[in-house]
Amino acid sequence: VQLQASGGGLVQAGESLRLSCTASGNLFNINGMGWYRQAPGKQRELVATITNSGGTRYAGSLEGRFTISRGTAENTIYLQMNSLKPEDTAVYYCNADRRSLSGATLMKTYWGQGTQVTVSS
C-alpha cells in the first residue's frame, strides 16, 4: 500500500488548510485511515482517524477545529484544518490499517511520507 499525502504549506495563524491522502496498491482489508502529526522534538501523535464505515476519532484537543472525511472513493481521505495555531506546526502523516477479515486484529499499518504544515504567528 502506498500513501500519498498533499496539501501542506505555510499559513498564518487563523487560516485554514486541507490535507489530502490517497491510498493505492493492494487495498484488500484496508479498514481505517487516519492522520498523525509530529512536531520537532516531539513524538508522533494522533490527529484523527476514520473507518470505512465513516466512524471518526479525534485527538480531544483538536476536535472542533479539525475534520476528517472520506472522498467519494474510499481510498482518499481529507483533513480540514481551521483556525490554525502555531502549535499545529508539524509534519502530518497519513496512515492506513490492514485488518483481519473480522476487523478485530490489526495486521499492519502503512505510513505515507508526510506533508509539512507550518503556521506562523
Side-chain angles (χ1 to χ4, degrees), residues 56-91:
T56 58
R57 180 167 67 105
Y58 294 89
S61 61
L62 300 178
E63 192 165 11
R65 291 195 299 124
F66 289 14
T67 303
I68 190 170
S69 62
R70 281 192 175 276
T72 51
E74 284 192 346
N75 64 328
T76 299
I77 62 170
Y78 304 99
L79 184 69
Q80 178 67 41
M81 305 185 293
N82 298 329
S83 302
L84 283 161
K85 304 175 181 180
E87 51 263 43
D88 295 319
T89 295
V91 178

Side-chain angles (χ1 to χ4, degrees), residues 1 14 22 27 39 41 50 55 63 68-69 80 90 95 99-100 106 109:
V1 175
T22 299
L27 302 183
I50 186 167
E63 192 165 11
I68 190 170
S69 62
Q80 178 67 41
N95 82 343
R99 292 189 169 271
S100 60
L106 176 63
T109 296

